[in-house]
Amino acid sequence: MFEPNKIIVTGGCGFIGSNFVHWVVDNTQCDVVVLDKLTYAGNPENIAGLPEDRVRLVVGDICDAALLDELVPGVDAIVHYAAESHNDNSIADPSPFLHTNVEGTYQLLEACRRHGKRLHHVSTDEVYGDLALDDPARFTEETPYHPSSPYSSTKASSDLLVRAWGRTFGVQATISNCSNNYGPYQHIEKFIPRQITNIICGIRPKLYGDGKNVRDWIHTEDHSSAVWTILTKGTPGETYLIGADGEKNNIDVLHAILEGMGQPADAFDWVRDRPGHDRRYAIDSTKLRTELGWQPQHTNFAEGLAQTIAWYRENEAWWRPAKEATEAKYAKQGQ
Ligand code: NAD
Ligand code: DAU
């Protein structure tokens, strides 16, 4: 059992990173240094109100080796969430994805090597590419890498760097690959919050392609508990898949949102498909469940979605400033 007293959480002002910081404060004694560049996706409001003696925000870039040399000696481990995370953005401009996802992970690995610290690298199921709709298979830790988008190829690259630094330099690192998260603080460029906030704004929701693409939804709080489990009980050098058996196609998710918000089932627009759009993701998380004893708690999707809709209704001041620019960007792409 690894028992960290203090960790760096990179990307701790983003969606999943900030939910993890809340989870750590609520469920452990561990203190947190959030290292975040505050890009368009990072918002200090996400961690506002947390106890100042437990959580410190450092605004900076994970590619800044000198800054890492200041911060890393003072902690026991780094939990690495920082990334450019949106597929559509990576198609419009891949460059920041290479900087943050590849170069940034390299700099963190080098800092861990210099200072003898542990790393947990947070990655995605998209590194495995996609599955056919009629294929009963799910991704496992043994599935070959086959990424489709600029985003997922940079995440795959970062995973391979972590594996190489473990084997060649002995860096003590674990990797997790998780499926699609939903919950509070998710940027409104992403599917579920985009449709919820569209409806609140009187804009029709937008569905890509034929709407049959399948995603394997997990509540972000379950992702947090899984990452903590892997950090504290996982074996360095190992990869663990995180998923909660939440496969659903996009049209069913959209219908659930429309129904939950009192809209007719056909009150949405079909829009241009995403180039290279992955068809289906599905996670087999047997290894994490059997070897480390993790179980998801929020498996009632209808309940989680209702809470998420309520959160966006109650926190309009949080998302409203980003809405116009986000929709303008999509409009340019015909989406
Ligand atoms: P997000 O886009 O909401 O947040 C990313 C955060 O990283 C932001 O706070 C941003 O300011 C910060 N950041 C970006 N570049 C940085 C840099 N160079 N230096 C320091 N900070 C920087 O992302 P998210 O959806 O919360 O995803 C977090 C992580 O989880 C990513 O690594 C992503 O690949 C992974 N992941 C996401 C999902 C999902 O469904 N969203 C699923 C599986 C894995
Ligand atoms: O699987 C994990 C991945 O999940 C993470 O690695 C990524 O960081 C995260 O963004 C997410 O990627 P997706 O591309 O699956 O998520 P997104 O929310 O962008 O889209 C979900 C599905 O909904 C996808 O099939 C595209 C579709 N979509 C999306 C938007 C924004 C629409 O139909 N309409 C939309 O307006």
Side-chain angles (χ1 to χ4, degrees):
M1 186 89 178
F2 173 62
E3 288 175 342
N5 292 313
K6 195 174 203 174
I7 56 176
I8 290 173
V9 176
T10 73
C13 290
F15 163 44
I16 310 182
S18 64
N19 275 287
F20 179 72
V21 174
H22 281 270
W23 192 93
V24 169
V25 168
D26 290 347
N27 294 281
T28 80
Q29 304 295 315
C30 185
D31 294 339
V32 177
V33 177
V34 170
L35 172 58
D36 198 299
K37 189 177 167 182
L38 301 183
T39 67
Y40 78 96
N43 187 343
E45 282 299 308
N46 299 7
I47 54 168
L50 290 174
E52 282 172 21
D53 57 335
R54 303 270 321 268
V55 179
R56 176 163 81 100
L57 170 60
V58 176
V59 178
D61 193 325
I62 55 169
C63 296
D64 182 344
L67 177 61
L68 295 179
D69 279 340
E70 273 174 41
L71 299 177
V72 174
V75 301
D76 304 309
I78 300 175
V79 182
H80 175 32
Y81 287 91
E84 287 294 332
S85 68
H86 192 39
N87 277 295
D88 293 319
N89 293 346
S90 81
I91 296 165
D93 178 13
S95 158
F97 290 74
L98 286 148
H99 173 81
T100 290
N101 301 2
V102 183
E103 169 78 12
T105 304
Y106 159 72
Q107 292 296 351
L108 291 168
L109 283 163
E110 285 291 81
C112 286
R113 179 153 86 105
R114 284 196 295 278
H115 300 289
K117 302 294 178 179
R118 255 173 103 130
L119 176 76
H120 177 71
H121 176 60
V122 176
S123 192
T124 168
D125 58 358
E126 295 192 16
V127 299
Y128 300 114
D130 61 355
L131 299 160
L133 295 183
D134 59 356
D135 183 350
R138 299 191 291 171
F139 299 137
T140 73
E141 287 78 3
E142 313 308 322
T143 304
Y145 274 38
H146 196 64
S148 316
S149 74
Y151 161 68
S152 56
S153 63
T154 58
K155 290 299 290 189
S157 306
S158 65
D159 292 11
L160 297 183
L161 293 177
V162 175
R163 290 184 184 187
W165 262 244
R167 176 157 168 169
T168 304
F169 302 120
V171 170
Q172 302 283 291
T174 41
I175 300 175
S176 56
N177 298 85
C178 186
S179 59
N180 284 61
N181 284 223
Y182 74 102
Y185 300 111
Q186 185 166 31
H187 195 279
I188 53 166
E189 68 192 351
K190 303 294 189 330
F191 180 55
I192 289 178
R194 184 183 183 203
Q195 315 313 338
I196 295 170
T197 55
N198 273 359
I199 292 168
I200 295 172
C201 293
I203 303 169
R204 282 164 72 87
K206 310 289 181 222
L207 196 57
Y208 295 176
D210 64 6
K212 291 185 184 153
N213 305 63
V214 169
R215 296 296 182 262
D216 190 352
W217 293 99
I218 181 172
H219 194 280
T220 189
E221 224 173 281
D222 284 330
H223 189 181
S224 294
S225 66
V227 166
W228 183 259
T229 301
I230 296 165
L231 175 69
T232 55
K233 295 191 194 164
T235 306
E238 292 292 320
T239 288
Y240 300 88
L241 263 55
I242 305 173
D245 301 330
E247 278 188 73
K248 290 189 184 352
N249 70 30
N250 293 339
I251 192 150
D252 287 348
V253 173
L254 182 54
H255 279 149
I257 295 169
L258 288 163
E259 193 185 338
M261 299 184 73
Q263 301 292 309
D266 61 353
F268 67 90
D269 295 331
W270 298 98
V271 294
R272 188 174 77 87
D273 204 0
R274 172 184 288 170
H277 196 176
D278 280 338
R279 204 58 173 150
R280 170 174 161 255
Y281 305 139
I283 288 273
D284 177 347
S285 56
T286 304
K287 177 177 173 182
L288 174 60
R289 294 176 194 231
T290 54
E291 289 187 12
L292 306 187
W294 172 82
Q295 286 291 336
Q297 303 298 318
H298 302 273
T299 48
N300 184 333
F301 183 75
E303 198 176 291
L305 186 63
Q307 284 163 1
T308 304
I309 292 170
W311 191 87
Y312 283 90
R313 281 197 194 283
E314 284 156 21
N315 290 277
E316 194 164 331
W318 180 86
W319 56 264
R320 180 61 82 167
K323 188 65 184 168
E324 201 180 327
T326 304
E327 287 309 309
K329 188 184 66 185
Y330 276 124
K332 260 197 219 154
Q333 295 166 189
Q335 294 174 320

